[in-house]
Amino acid sequence: MSNSEKHEQSQSKATESTIHRDFSKEMSYGDYLQLDKVLSSQQRLSGHHDEMLFIIIHQASELWMKLILHELEAARLLIQQNNLEPAFKMLARVSRIQQQLIQSWDVLSTLTPAEYMEFRNSLGRSSGFQSFQNRLIEFMLGGKQTKVLTVYEHQPELHQQLSQSLHEPSLYDAAIMALSLRGLEVDKQYLKRDWSQEYKENASVKAAWLTVYQDVERYWDLYELAEKLVDIDSRQQQWRFNHMVTVERIIGFKPGTGGSAGVEYLKHVVAQRYFPELWSLRTDL
């Protein structure tokens, strides 16, 4: 054995000697992450091999959505407090998470129509359409729809959570308030509107954002906020498009398991934009 090999072996033994091995009275990695709960939650109802893929993709997506909500709620509060700078990191993180969600459709698309039909009936009426976290994200971004609450009436606590979110200002509402706080003129009705109603494009809001984009040096923080919002809106649209394509690839134009129109419904929502003035002003610059 060469001297270098002996040295490497000695270093390896020294490193291994410091590894903690007794966790009878210590918290382990698995304990901290509660992996016993997480990894025992993939229960295939059909026993079909590919159902595991379907479950894990959706469970992982729900975990990412939980983190998105965590970041968006904190960012909204900071914006409401006119403390924009710390919110930028949170909004940038949301965009990165969205990229993970977009790429997840590539993994799910490895599921063929024939494979999916082997276990589709096991899903019953359950559907991604019922994802309450996805609804909370939509509400946070300004896509308010009262009628969707009926899906959650069988879960009173969840229904209350969604109802509360429905009646709170969205992330974009908070951004519009920030425009007003900086002295930019915004219609008063848009500063104290019925937050449960879906946001509609407004000329005064567009004019305020246009002022920001035409004087970036003066309004740099508002400009950066706007671009962070555009990032999120753009990726949300990409996520919906990839969702639509994946669904069409696997089930064609069949109705969704939850009773939705499937691809036809997804085609309807794919072009939705949550921050309309930030898109339309680009034509006027």
Side-chain angles (χ1 to χ4, degrees):
M1 182 182 295
S2 67
N3 288 334
S4 62
E5 289 174 331
K6 289 179 181 179
H7 178 71
E8 287 178 8
Q9 188 179 63
S10 176
Q11 287 290 98
S12 176
K13 289 181 178 179
T15 301
E16 289 182 6
S17 68
T18 64
I19 295 175
H20 192 84
R21 302 177 186 279
D22 182 4
F23 289 95
S24 58
K25 297 180 181 179
E26 299 281 353
M27 178 176 65
S28 70
Y29 172 82
D31 296 333
Y32 174 67
L33 296 178
Q34 299 187 55
L35 292 181
D36 55 335
K37 296 178 182 178
V38 174
L39 299 180
S40 62
S41 297
Q42 296 73 45
Q43 302 297 322
R44 290 178 292 165
L45 298 181
S46 68
H48 190 274
H49 174 85
D50 294 300
E51 190 181 355
M52 184 65 76
L53 162 67
F54 192 82
I55 292 171
I56 289 177
I57 285 289
H58 288 85
Q59 287 184 341
S61 295
E62 290 293 335
L63 285 172
W64 283 126
M65 288 181 191
K66 183 173 184 176
L67 184 53
I68 285 177
L69 287 166
H70 177 71
E71 300 295 340
L72 289 179
E73 287 166 4
R76 178 180 61 181
L77 180 59
L78 287 167
I79 294 168
Q80 288 173 325
Q81 294 171 345
N82 199 29
N83 188 15
L84 305 187
E85 191 71 30
F88 297 153
K89 176 66 177 292
M90 298 169 183
L91 297 177
R93 182 174 292 160
V94 169
S95 296
R96 296 293 183 89
I97 298 167
Q98 287 175 301
Q99 197 62 43
Q100 295 294 318
L101 289 169
I102 291 167
Q103 292 173 350
S104 72
W105 295 120
D106 289 339
V107 182
L108 188 59
S109 68
T110 64
L111 182 68
T112 68
E115 290 164 347
Y116 181 52
M117 294 310 296
E118 289 289 329
F119 64 85
R120 190 182 190 223
N121 288 339
S122 300
L123 305 181
R125 291 295 185 183
S126 65
S127 165
F129 182 83
Q130 300 145 17
S131 168
F132 78 92
Q133 291 197 123
N134 189 39
R135 293 302 180 193
L136 287 171
I137 291 171
E138 290 177 346
F139 288 177
M140 176 65 77
L141 298 179
K144 305 291 184 77
Q145 294 185 56
T146 304
K147 62 182 180 181
V148 302
L149 294 184
T150 57
V151 175
Y152 310 96
E153 287 178 347
H154 67 294
Q155 296 173 289
E157 290 185 9
L158 196 54
H159 186 276
Q160 175 58 33
Q161 182 183 357
L162 284 155
S163 180
Q164 180 179 332
S165 178
L166 183 74
H167 290 86
E168 292 174 345
S170 70
L171 179 71
Y172 195 47
D173 290 318
I176 292 170
M177 292 177 199
L179 291 173
S180 179
L181 285 173
R182 289 291 294 276
L184 294 162
E185 189 174 344
V186 175
D187 287 348
K188 291 183 179 178
Q189 63 177 334
Y190 270 67
L191 299 174
K192 291 185 179 180
R193 67 186 188 87
D194 181 355
W195 309 123
S196 68
Q197 297 301 304
E198 188 167 11
Y199 182 82
K200 301 296 182 183
E201 187 168 359
N202 175 262
S204 72
V205 173
K206 180 178 178 181
W209 282 123
L210 195 56
T211 299
V212 169
Y213 274 75
Q214 290 173 333
D215 194 350
V216 172
E217 186 174 345
R218 180 180 179 184
Y219 298 108
W220 175 258
D221 55 344
L222 290 171
Y223 172 73
E224 189 167 0
L225 172 61
E227 285 298 293
K228 289 288 189 291
L229 294 176
V230 170
D231 285 343
I232 289 171
D233 210 354
S234 177
R235 285 198 168 93
Q236 194 71 3
Q237 190 173 21
Q238 291 175 49
W239 180 81
R240 287 192 296 262
F241 178 79
N242 282 27
H243 184 188
M244 178 193 72
V245 172
T246 302
V247 170
E248 184 174 358
R249 176 172 177 161
I250 295 174
I251 67 168
F253 286 82
K254 295 184 182 74
T257 49
S260 74
V263 170
E264 289 299 336
Y265 167 77
L266 295 172
K267 281 186 175 181
H268 173 71
V269 300
V270 75
Q272 181 182 11
R273 283 174 170 165
Y274 293 108
F275 318 130
E277 295 88 355
L278 295 179
W279 293 97
S280 62
L281 70 80
R282 283 159 160 74
T283 305
D284 298 331
L285 283 173

